Amino acid sequence: MDSSQANPLKAADNPSLTDEIIRLSPKAHEGHFDELRGHSAALLPHWKTFFEQLEPSGLTDLDQRTQELNRQIRDNGITYNVYADEFGPQRPWSVDLFPLIVSPESWQEIQSGVLQRAKLLEGIVKDIYGPQTLLKEGLIPPALVYGHPGYLRAMCGANFHQRKHLHIIAFDLARAPDGKWSVLSQRTQAPSGLGYLLENRNLIARQFPKAYEQMHISPLANAYRDLIDALKLESPVGPNAHIALLTPGPYNETYFEHAYLARYLGLTLVEGGDLTVRDQKLYLKTVRGLEPVDILLKRLDDEFLDPLELRADSTLGVPGLLQVIRAGNVILANAPGSAFLESPALLGFLPAISERLLGEQIQLPAMDTWWCGERAALDAAIPNLGHSAIKPTYPNGSGHQNYESALGGDLTQAQLDEWVGRITRQPDEHTVQTYIPLAQMPTWLNAFNLNDASLIEPHSYMLRVFALSNGPDSWQILPGGLARIAGNDSGIASMQRGGSSADVWVQSHQTTSDVEVHPQQALQPKELVMRKRMVTSRAAENLYWFGRYTERSENILRLAKLYLENINSEYTPSGPLWVWLEHLCHQYGLVPDGVPSNFDQRDIRHRIFERTLINSLNGSEGVTSVGFNLNAMKRTASNVRERLSTEQWSTINHCIDSFEKDCLKATTFHDLSSSLAIDALKQASSSLAAITGAQTDRMTRDDGWQLLSIGRHIERLSFLTTVLDSAIEMGSLFNPNTDSSGYTALLNLFDSTITFHAQHQQSREIAPLVSLLVLDDENPRSLAWVSKALRARLSKLAGTERNNPDELTRSVTNLQDYDLLRLSCADGFGNFSELRNCLFAVSQSAWNVSDEISARYFNLIHTNEYSVQI
């Protein structure tokens, strides 16, 4: 094989970059519009400009950019899970390296047509839940409204106080072979994509900064800000309105987007359980009481919103929410009951409705669509079935006939005949829509491992664009969108079917500096106080356990590393140390019960305990291993994803992924298993140091952070008191001047070896040990310091002064009341009874605080009435 075959990028002798692009990119398949070339053989002007900005490196560094793009996706934790579950793998988001570039002329066609359709859909939903003129005049068949599960009779006559029903609408567009745009579908219930397209922009603009700047790509930020401002303008509260984003939770396939949007827009991310209804008003449960919610952006299908009036088995919604909406006390974006607009059958009736409601002909056409529930439409649809798409009129699981959409061109004659029979028997369940081959855009293939292959390949795509409210009677079209790329030759562009996505660059005749920036009104001090970030009870509980699992992971990691280092050191561990460490490994679930001690089987070939510990480091069967606790830490963190920085989330993922790989190595290479396991624990320890550093230095000191810190301090007190008490009980400190191994190991578990040596050199007396590990309030690993820090966090959370603590704060044991001499003295039986009593008191106070925290801030069982904050 010659070099030209090994590397297609070098197959031509110094051609121009444009010629190279044309050579390496086949034309779109027959019948598809070619986004790269249009109807000519040359590149379209905007693509020519794009590729010219790649000089001087040309295409040679695009593989490196692809690798960097994939790394950023992993580091940012961008996921789209088709089937998300608590323990299932998360699927990384897929985005192509090349953006879809839309010329100003093409965008003008899209923008004007989508603006008109947004006004039209708003007019339809207002009429259907109001005078129902369209039904009375026969412009919409009643079956498409009353028969659709998305029509909610409970919303008829709801008082919207002249507000919009719709605030966010998504339109899926296809480009015909002649280059004209058509509407395939519309999404009004809970349209997705606003977060993913924004992240796509951040990713791709970073890969091509020169092209992005030179081509005058329209920015996205103003549209998002205008949406939020428009929502606040509709609310009686105005600029002070509290906006929350309602999510089904972290196991939803698009949860990343929910958390991303909440963080980007500054909204409170809530689940149904975080909200409650009182006196026909919606409130958020926070650690400070009930806070009113004025505006709710929902990412939840309507049927789950209110178990009292809609789906009774829903645990995702809020009982009584529809009553709040009917009373006009909350703005929902979008209002419940718009899902009937998503039926493909409705597209065929919109031209006539547009003339009736707007007095205008439809500008942006849809595919020819026939609802087979009308006899004339059925007769017209059947002859066209072979080159059409057959779609269900109503959504799956709605009590109607369920089936997947089918393309007539993919069916045999026998199958077509079968479909004709099905449609004829139940015509109203079927909608037929003319099918056109989707336009194809260029996508980049990795140049490695290709033999004389094309590097730029055309793939079919659909374009999703968004109409966003920017005023009581006005709309704007987000200047960009989400291109969904088909993953195979089926012509179906779907992320659920393994497709990819692309950023959408809309060229503007204006430069970025020419774009209008809306003036911001100065906030008053009162408003700044009111906008203090709220912490829901759910978020508070997850932050609390995030802190506990982080601390627990650190503690048992240090324990496992200490055991393996001691068992493999040049000095044979003493019997008491061996028994004590193995007892702790059993107690903390690192090794299952019943595994024989290494002390009885010192031959390395029979070290069952050691081998079991190594094999269990990342296990979950019968053990609460290091890996188990790291993943528990990640799960709690994922529930408060919107509160974590991208870097913090990336560090958590990196820690877990690296530890899993390192543990696999340790269990594969048996001769080096102990050494490799210790290395794995060291690497995880470094990552955990970065995670705890981010918790300490990168998070706002609000109520949520106070509870995170409280969780860490409770966990630390529990661990440290346990290891010290068990060391005393099992004789590891019996005679430290003779056998100092237990003494040294205890300093290691308290992470205080360096501090001890600096203060007490090589002393092995009990008093210096107790002084540093128990009573020293300047050592962050001592019981006194942790207890003092815990009292400070509790006082801050309760809003009390340190010199006037509340009852819960006072319940934490104050070690200043203990005397060093008494704690360091053994009684007549050789036991340190005073010290052990002290340890028991500290441990019990920590667990009592934990129970009280749960009751007071998470379960709310000590409050007769949840107070409403004014």
Side-chain angles (χ1 to χ4, degrees):
M1 182 185 297
D2 61 28
S3 60
S4 65
Q5 291 177 315
N7 188 349
L9 296 179
K10 298 181 180 179
D13 296 327
N14 300 320
S16 70
L17 182 58
T18 301
D19 293 338
E20 188 75 352
I21 297 296
I22 293 174
R23 183 182 69 83
L24 295 173
S25 55
K27 292 182 179 180
H29 301 159
E30 184 178 356
H32 298 259
F33 180 80
D34 191 332
E35 286 288 347
L36 192 62
R37 298 176 176 83
H39 298 292
S40 67
L43 299 182
L44 290 173
H46 49 272
W47 281 106
K48 186 173 184 296
T49 303
F50 173 81
F51 285 115
E52 284 174 348
Q53 305 307 314
L54 300 183
E55 297 286 10
S57 58
L59 305 180
T60 56
D61 67 346
L62 291 188
D63 282 337
Q64 182 178 347
R65 298 191 199 205
T66 301
Q67 293 170 359
E68 172 64 17
L69 174 63
N70 292 331
R71 186 192 64 78
Q72 289 177 8
I73 291 172
R74 290 193 303 271
D75 289 349
N76 293 357
I78 311 172
T79 56
Y80 177 88
N81 302 321
V82 178
Y83 299 104
D85 60 75
E86 184 176 4
F87 301 102
Q90 292 185 316
R91 173 186 170 188
W93 178 246
S94 179
V95 57
D96 195 75
L97 184 64
F98 290 154
L100 171 66
I101 305 174
V102 183
S103 68
E105 296 74 23
S106 187
W107 183 251
Q108 181 58 43
E109 176 190 349
I110 293 172
Q111 183 172 251
S112 59
V114 169
L115 276 173
Q116 182 195 51
R117 283 182 172 265
K119 296 175 184 177
L120 180 59
L121 294 184
E122 174 67 17
I124 293 173
V125 74
K126 277 187 175 180
D127 178 78
I128 292 300
Y129 288 103
Q132 297 192 335
T133 303
L134 298 174
L135 290 171
K136 294 172 184 175
E137 296 182 2
L139 292 170
I140 299 180
L144 294 184
V145 177
Y146 298 137
H148 197 289
Y151 171 73
L152 303 181
R153 288 169 175 78
M155 293 304 298
C156 288
N159 184 5
F160 278 83
H161 297 284
Q162 304 303 314
R163 300 169 183 162
K164 282 181 174 177
H165 287 69
L166 306 176
H167 298 86
I168 305 170
I169 310 175
F171 295 89
D172 290 327
L173 309 180
R175 203 169 193 183
D178 62 1
K180 297 294 183 181
W181 294 95
S182 298
V183 175
L184 288 179
S185 61
Q186 52 209 18
R187 295 289 177 262
T188 55
Q189 184 174 202
S192 62
L194 280 174
Y196 286 116
L197 74 85
L198 191 60
E199 186 69 332
N200 280 1
R201 173 60 53 86
N202 294 334
L203 292 169
I204 302 304
R206 190 179 305 167
Q207 295 301 322
F208 303 105
K210 186 178 178 182
Y212 183 80
E213 180 182 356
Q214 294 295 322
M215 297 180 70
H216 307 312
I217 305 303
S218 299
L220 303 172
N222 278 350
Y224 288 85
R225 183 167 61 246
D226 289 346
L227 170 65
I228 297 301
D229 290 344
L231 287 167
K232 290 182 176 180
L233 192 63
E234 286 191 23
S235 172
V237 184
N240 295 324
H242 177 203
I243 309 178
L245 192 153
L246 177 62
T247 173
Y251 306 129
N252 181 264
E253 62 189 21
T254 57
Y255 179 73
F256 165 82
E257 177 175 73
H258 308 169
Y260 182 87
L261 277 177
R263 183 168 60 242
Y264 179 77
L265 298 175
L267 311 181
T268 306
L269 186 65
V270 301
E271 297 179 24
D274 298 329
L275 302 169
T276 187
V277 171
R278 300 288 174 87
D279 299 325
Q280 297 188 7
K281 294 183 180 179
L282 186 64
Y283 291 96
L284 177 68
K285 303 172 188 175
T286 77
V287 295
R288 298 290 180 185
L290 294 182
E291 295 281 355
V293 176
D294 307 296
I295 303 167
L296 196 63
L297 267 68
K298 67 177 178 72
R299 292 306 315 275
L300 190 64
D301 287 348
D302 291 346
E303 62 178 320
F304 297 99
L305 284 176
D306 187 344
L308 291 183
E309 300 191 49
L310 300 173
R311 185 165 169 167
D313 63 346
S314 171
T315 60
L316 303 177
V318 187
L321 179 59
L322 290 192
Q323 183 57 38
V324 180
I325 299 169
R326 287 194 294 265
N329 291 330
V330 70
I331 296 173
L332 225 66
N334 291 331
S338 66
F340 74 92
L341 296 172
E342 298 181 353
S343 173
L346 194 65
L347 292 174
F349 299 93
L350 292 185
I353 297 174
S354 178
E355 294 187 7
R356 173 64 178 84
L357 290 183
L358 305 181
E360 301 171 354
Q361 290 188 342
I362 209 83
Q363 296 180 34
L364 187 63
M367 294 291 96
D368 290 339
T369 305
W370 299 276
W371 176 54
C372 297
E374 292 185 322
R375 184 65 195 186
L378 174 63
D379 292 341
I382 294 298
N384 291 291
L385 214 57
H387 52 268
S388 298
I390 308 168
K391 299 183 177 182
T393 301
Y394 307 103
N396 288 339
S398 61
H400 293 271
Q401 186 178 12
N402 294 333
Y403 61 90
E404 293 290 332
S405 298
L407 297 180
D410 295 339
L411 303 175
T412 65
Q413 186 58 51
Q415 290 171 325
L416 279 172
D417 293 340
E418 183 180 345
W419 272 105
V420 169
R422 292 173 61 180
I423 295 171
T424 304
R425 289 190 296 272
Q426 290 183 303
D428 60 313
E429 300 282 346
H430 298 82
T431 297
V432 176
Q433 189 178 71
T434 299
Y435 173 76
I436 60 169
L438 297 176
Q440 296 188 331
M441 64 171 286
T443 62
W444 175 253
L445 300 180
N446 195 307
F448 298 126
N449 302 319
L450 291 179
N451 294 326
D452 198 22
S454 301
L455 294 176
I456 301 175
E457 185 173 280
H459 273 260
S460 300
Y461 77 92
M462 281 197 307
L463 172 61
R464 173 165 289 191
V465 297
F466 292 85
L468 306 179
S469 173
N470 66 345
D473 298 307
S474 62
W475 295 85
Q476 64 179 330
I477 308 306
L478 185 75
L482 185 67
R484 290 178 291 170
I485 304 173
N488 49 43
D489 295 332
S490 68
I492 299 177
S494 169
M495 301 301 293
Q496 291 186 334
R497 300 192 182 188
S500 182
S501 71
D503 188 18
V504 178
W505 287 11
V506 174
Q507 278 193 294
S508 171
H509 293 303
Q510 297 176 306
T511 63
T512 304
S513 60
D514 294 331
V515 177
E516 178 184 1
V517 178
H518 302 293
Q520 293 283 325
Q521 185 175 358
L523 297 176
Q524 300 302 315
K526 181 180 179 182
E527 295 176 22
L528 289 172
V529 173
M530 293 182 69
R531 293 190 182 190
K532 184 177 179 181
R533 189 174 195 179
M534 300 173 189
V535 182
T536 68
S537 297
R538 177 188 56 83
E541 184 171 15
N542 278 289
L543 285 165
Y544 171 78
W545 281 101
F546 181 31
R548 287 196 61 173
Y549 280 123
T550 304
E551 184 69 26
R552 189 177 298 179
S553 298
E554 277 197 305
N555 292 334
I556 64 171
L557 185 152
R558 188 178 294 109
L559 172 60
K561 185 163 71 72
L562 176 66
Y563 179 84
L564 292 175
E565 287 175 340
N566 272 273
I567 209 71
N568 291 284
S569 69
E570 58 180 315
Y571 304 106
T572 302
S574 66
L577 174 65
W578 211 320
V579 172
W580 173 50
L581 291 180
E582 291 185 351
H583 167 77
L584 288 175
C585 287
H586 279 304
Q587 184 171 356
Y588 283 97
L590 291 173
V591 174
D593 292 335
V595 176
S597 170
N598 269 13
F599 186 67
D600 300 325
Q601 298 178 338
R602 302 188 186 190
D603 189 322
I604 193 169
R605 294 170 297 176
H606 304 293
R607 288 182 174 180
I608 298 176
F609 192 98
E610 180 184 359
R611 295 205 311 271
T612 303
L613 173 61
I614 293 171
N615 289 332
S616 300
L617 283 177
N618 196 45
S620 58
E621 294 293 329
V623 291
T624 51
S625 64
V626 176
F628 177 91
N629 281 282
L630 287 174
N631 279 285
M633 174 188 69
K634 178 180 177 179
R635 285 196 297 275
T636 55
S638 71
N639 289 330
V640 287
R641 178 76 181 276
E642 78 283 3
R643 301 178 66 92
L644 307 181
S645 68
T646 299
E647 293 78 11
Q648 191 172 0
W649 181 252
S650 173
T651 303
I652 293 171
N653 282 314
H654 175 74
C655 173
I656 294 172
D657 292 344
S658 298
F659 186 70
E660 181 178 349
K661 294 174 182 176
D662 291 343
C663 286
L664 182 61
K665 291 179 183 177
T667 56
T668 302
F669 300 100
H670 297 291
D671 291 342
L672 300 173
S673 59
S674 296
S675 176
L676 291 173
I678 292 171
D679 288 343
L681 292 167
K682 286 179 178 178
Q683 292 298 322
S685 180
S686 298
S687 296
L688 276 170
I691 292 169
T692 57
Q695 292 175 356
T696 303
D697 295 333
R698 300 293 180 88
M699 298 182 71
T700 305
R701 265 41 173 187
D702 59 6
D703 292 337
W705 184 87
Q706 301 297 335
L707 284 160
L708 184 152
S709 186
I710 287 169
R712 291 201 63 190
H713 289 125
I714 288 175
E715 193 69 34
R716 187 176 298 180
L717 281 178
S718 171
F719 180 77
L720 296 181
T721 54
T722 298
V723 298
L724 180 51
D725 185 70
S726 62
I728 297 170
E729 181 182 16
M730 305 192 76
S732 293
L733 298 178
F734 179 70
N735 191 353
N737 286 310
T738 302
D739 177 11
S740 64
S741 59
Y743 198 101
T744 302
L746 196 59
L747 287 171
N748 187 303
L749 288 175
F750 271 74
D751 196 19
S752 297
T753 303
I754 295 175
T755 305
F756 183 85
H757 288 165
Q759 293 182 6
H760 305 289
Q761 290 75 50
Q762 292 297 318
S763 172
R764 289 298 180 263
E765 300 297 327
I766 294 296
L769 186 75
V770 173
S771 175
L772 180 66
L773 302 188
V774 179
L775 300 179
D776 189 344
D777 63 2
E778 294 183 355
N779 174 17
R781 306 297 298 187
S782 79
L783 302 183
W785 187 95
V786 179
S787 297
K788 181 176 71 172
L790 179 58
R791 288 195 300 275
R793 302 289 180 265
L794 290 169
S795 180
K796 181 76 172 177
L797 187 63
T800 59
E801 299 292 334
R802 290 194 182 186
N803 56 4
N804 185 28
D806 67 331
E807 182 180 353
L808 181 58
T809 304
R810 291 196 303 270
S811 70
V812 179
T813 302
N814 188 347
L815 286 159
Q816 292 179 347
D817 299 333
Y818 286 85
D819 178 69
L820 174 61
L821 182 60
R822 296 188 64 181
L823 294 179
S824 305
C825 289
D827 58 21
F829 299 97
N831 296 322
F832 294 91
S833 55
E834 287 287 341
L835 178 55
R836 295 192 68 187
N837 289 338
C838 170
L839 297 176
F840 179 79
V842 172
S843 177
Q844 281 300 111
S845 71
W847 290 119
N848 290 339
V849 166
S850 179
D851 291 341
E852 184 63 25
I853 285 287
S854 296
R856 181 179 300 186
Y857 296 108
F858 309 150
N859 301 326
L860 314 171
I861 61 176
H862 291 345
T863 54
N864 295 326
E865 183 70 21
Y866 215 148
S867 61
V868 177
Q869 301 299 304
I870 305 299

